[in-house]
Structures are given as structure tokens and as C-alpha cells.
Amino acid sequence: MSGRTPALRSAADLVEAGLLPARMKADIERVAQTYAIGLTPTVAGLIDAADPHDPIARQFVPDTAELVVSPEERADPIGDAAFSPVEGVVHRYPDRALLKLLHICPVYCRFCFRRATVGPGSPTYLAPKALDAAVAYIAAHSEIWEVILTGGDPLTLSPRRLEDIMARLKPIGHVKIIRLHTRVPALDPAAITDQHIAILRDAGKTVYVALHANHPRELTAEARAACARFIDAGIPMLSQSVLLAGVNDDIETLIALMRAFVEARIKPYYLHQLDLAPGTAHFRTPIAHGRDLMRQLRGRVSGLCQPAYMLDLPGGHGKSPIGPNYVTKTGEADSYRISDYHGDSHLYPPRGQSSASPRRP
């Protein structure tokens, strides 16, 4: 990618770019000793440096709050290690497995649940022998229907490496679905090449791309164009977002984000409760607030815009939906109380003729 503006990788880079006061340089260098810094030129260009509460900066510019670790936080917040039968594979659910190919990303999110294992100091790629063993494990387990490529960001792989991975998975007959989790199309859209598209289109499997974005400003015209290249090639896209204090934990931003996905032909999939990664408490929102936001979202926008609100339970117990409950069982057989999106309760099946008129939007 010759001629491209270099990424910002240090506190000094952030000061030079005007994204960090010079007086903060030493403090942020201390953060960088533990957690990687990485902002693409696209990300840097999205930040309003004059806004001390800018939601893009909050996601990517380091903060000394990251050095404060709460007692409940843990380096492996969702218990990947307990379900890793061989290096590079996480097999928690019967029909799907993660294949963790690399430990680098084009950007480093300040709230990442793998922040302790990605970036400088970690192996860049899964070593050749480990990759062989990981693919052999997938091939030997016929229950694995879906392989999820992650890491690190799999679209950081060169076309050559990505093509090799697809070629290794192609002959495994029981693997029908390959899913890639990525931030690249939104935060480094120029990195998506015709080669990437062709490799995924011709993978011999059904391929899905799950885009991680947390704020509507990330869905720029360039990002939408990069996503359209996948979709126009027959590769469906899903969204993943994390509920983050100061970024998207208000209903107006959440609506704008989900609408932006749908307008870009990306189906909202998951809204994650933030994992208990070390040094992330300043991003965490109460579950009660998340549930209230989901109830508001249900009433205000199209069903196309509704993600599932999910919590990945610590200790490797997997993901559970934690959205609002609309159904309460009454004491009678087959009788329920159903809440509408206003919070009003209705008996189902109804008895007699209701005189109440529904509320208007």
C-alpha cells in the first residue's frame, strides 16, 4: 500500500497528530507498555479533536483509566482458554469453532476483550505447525458446521495468506459456513482489494462478513462503498457492536447506528454487553440501561434494525440474550401478560372486547 498515510502507533504519533495533549504523552506511554495503540488514517480523520467527548476518540485514543483494573475483570474475560483444544482454535459450541489466525489489527480498540493478547509483544501470525494442527482439528470434528475467522482481524491478512486459509478449509466437507469478524471495511476501507473480494467469493463455502462498528460516523461513504463490494459479490454482511458508555449508550445514537447498518445492507446482528476485560470499567454500562435501550429501540425503529442484546458469560459459559422480557405467565393455563413497546401490559389471549385504544407513535 505504498503512498498511504502511515497509521498512528505511539503516544508521540498521537501528539503530533493533535489527538493528544503533549502533557499527556508520558502517561499514555505507560498505557502503551501494556496495551497496543493503533489508529488508521481513516480513524484519525473521523475524530473531532476539539471535542473532549468525541465518541470516535474515546474508542481508540488511550486513556490512563485503562491502568485501573477492577476486581471482577480478567485477562480472559469470556473463558476462551478453557475451550481451546489446540492452539488457534476455540470450540465452545458444538457446531462452530473460532480459528484465531493472527494477533494484530489495523486499529486497537481501548475496550477489546482480547486486549491482553493482541498487538506488539504477541506472535503476529499463528505459526505454520500450529495452523496445520488447527485445521486438522477442524477436519477431524464433523460437527463443526461453521468456522469463524478471528484473531486479530482476519482482513489484515494479505491476499496470499487469506487465500491459503480458504484453500485449507475448502476440502473440509462438513464446514459449510465461513464467517469473518472485522473492522477493516469501516476503519481502513482502502485496504479492501479486488483480491480479497475474489478470494471470499470463490471460497467454495458460504461466506459471511461481520462488521464491527459502534458509532454511525464510522459508516462513512467510503466504508459503505467497501461493504457494498462484499455484498455485490454475493457475500452477506452482519453487524456487531459493543454497548459503550460515552459512545453509543443513548437511544438517538443507537438508532442512527442501526439505521446506518441497514441502509448499507448490513443486517444488525449482536449488540454486546461489554466483556470484563482489564481496564475497561469506564466503558461499561449497566445491564438495566442496556435493556431499557433495547426496549426503546423495539418501539421506535423497523424490525430490520433490531440486534440481539448479548452477554458473553465469564468462565466460558457462552453467550446469552439479555434483552427485555415482554412475556409473563399468569396463573392460568395458556394465559400470558404481554408488554408492548410502551411498557403497557395486555392479557393474551384477550377476554371480551377491549375498550382501550392503542397508543399512537
Side-chain angles (χ1 to χ4, degrees):
M1 296 289 182
S2 60
R4 293 181 64 194
T5 304
L8 308 180
R9 299 289 184 191
S10 68
D13 289 344
L14 295 174
V15 171
E16 186 176 351
L19 300 179
L20 187 73
R23 59 181 171 78
M24 293 291 296
K25 180 172 176 287
D27 286 338
I28 298 307
E29 285 175 340
R30 286 194 298 117
V31 178
Q33 290 173 9
T34 304
Y35 303 120
I37 296 173
L39 290 78
T40 61
T42 296
V43 171
L46 288 174
I47 292 172
D48 179 359
D51 179 2
H53 305 294
D54 182 79
I56 308 300
R58 184 163 170 78
Q59 293 182 69
F60 301 106
V61 175
D63 189 309
T64 54
E66 296 172 47
L67 299 178
V68 179
V69 179
S70 300
E72 70 274 11
E73 294 175 341
R74 52 191 74 187
D76 182 15
I78 63 172
D80 276 352
F83 290 88
S84 185
V86 297
E87 184 182 358
V89 171
V90 178
H91 191 187
R92 178 181 288 109
Y93 304 101
D95 74 336
R96 55 207 182 274
L98 303 183
L99 179 54
K100 297 163 65 175
L101 297 168
L102 71 170
H103 299 278
I104 56 173
C105 299
V107 295
Y108 291 103
C109 305
R110 310 320 306 169
F111 51 87
C112 178
F113 74 103
R114 291 198 180 117
R115 64 201 318 253
T117 60
V118 297
S122 299
T124 303
Y125 299 105
L126 195 59
K129 286 186 178 180
L131 179 58
D132 290 344
V135 173
Y137 177 88
I138 292 168
H141 287 260
S142 59
E143 71 274 22
I144 298 177
W145 172 80
E146 178 182 26
V147 172
I148 300 166
L149 304 185
T150 182
D153 194 312
L155 287 182
T156 305
L157 294 168
S158 67
R160 178 185 62 82
R161 287 182 182 272
L162 184 62
E163 187 170 33
D164 174 63
I165 296 301
M166 294 299 168
R168 289 169 178 262
L169 295 175
K170 189 172 184 177
I172 304 177
H174 54 265
V175 173
K176 305 297 184 183
I177 309 294
I178 297 175
R179 189 186 346 154
L180 293 86
H181 286 193
T182 183
R183 265 194 175 274
V184 172
L187 300 184
D188 195 13
I192 302 298
T193 68
D194 290 342
Q195 287 177 287
H196 287 104
I197 302 297
I199 290 165
L200 298 183
R201 183 192 62 213
D202 300 331
K205 308 288 184 183
T206 298
V207 175
Y208 284 78
V209 172
L211 177 70
H212 177 179
N214 298 315
H215 194 276
R217 274 170 37 204
E218 297 172 45
L219 277 296
T220 61
E222 294 78 13
R224 295 184 191 213
C227 293
R229 296 175 69 188
F230 291 103
I231 297 162
D232 290 344
I235 301 166
M237 291 192 69
L238 310 167
S239 81
Q240 291 207 108
S241 304
V242 182
L243 186 61
L244 299 168
V247 175
N248 57 17
D249 63 334
D250 62 276
I251 191 60
E252 291 78 14
T253 301
L254 207 56
I255 286 173
L257 175 61
M258 296 305 151
R259 283 179 171 169
F261 283 135
V262 172
E263 290 164 10
R265 295 181 287 168
I266 300 167
K267 177 66 184 80
Y269 178 46
Y270 279 168
L271 175 66
H272 293 277
Q273 177 69 12
L274 182 65
D275 296 315
L276 296 174
T280 61
H282 55 299
F283 284 108
R284 199 161 294 114
T285 59
I287 287 176
H289 181 55
R291 287 165 61 90
D292 181 60
L293 287 171
M294 290 302 297
R295 184 180 288 277
Q296 292 183 63
L297 196 66
R298 173 62 61 185
R300 295 192 186 191
V301 295
S302 164
L304 291 172
C305 299
Q306 307 291 330
Y309 181 34
M310 305 295 290
L311 172 65
D312 211 331
L313 289 162
H317 299 289
K319 295 182 180 68
S320 292
I322 55 172
N325 180 25
Y326 297 88
V327 182
T328 303
K329 186 76 174 67
T330 72
E332 300 178 28
D334 298 321
S335 178
Y336 301 87
R337 282 276 171 190
I338 313 292
S339 297
D340 64 24
Y341 69 89
H342 294 293
D344 296 333
S345 178
H346 307 272
L347 189 65
Y348 183 86
R351 295 174 188 162
Q353 186 68 33
S354 173
S355 59
S357 298
R359 294 197 209 180
R360 296 196 178 276

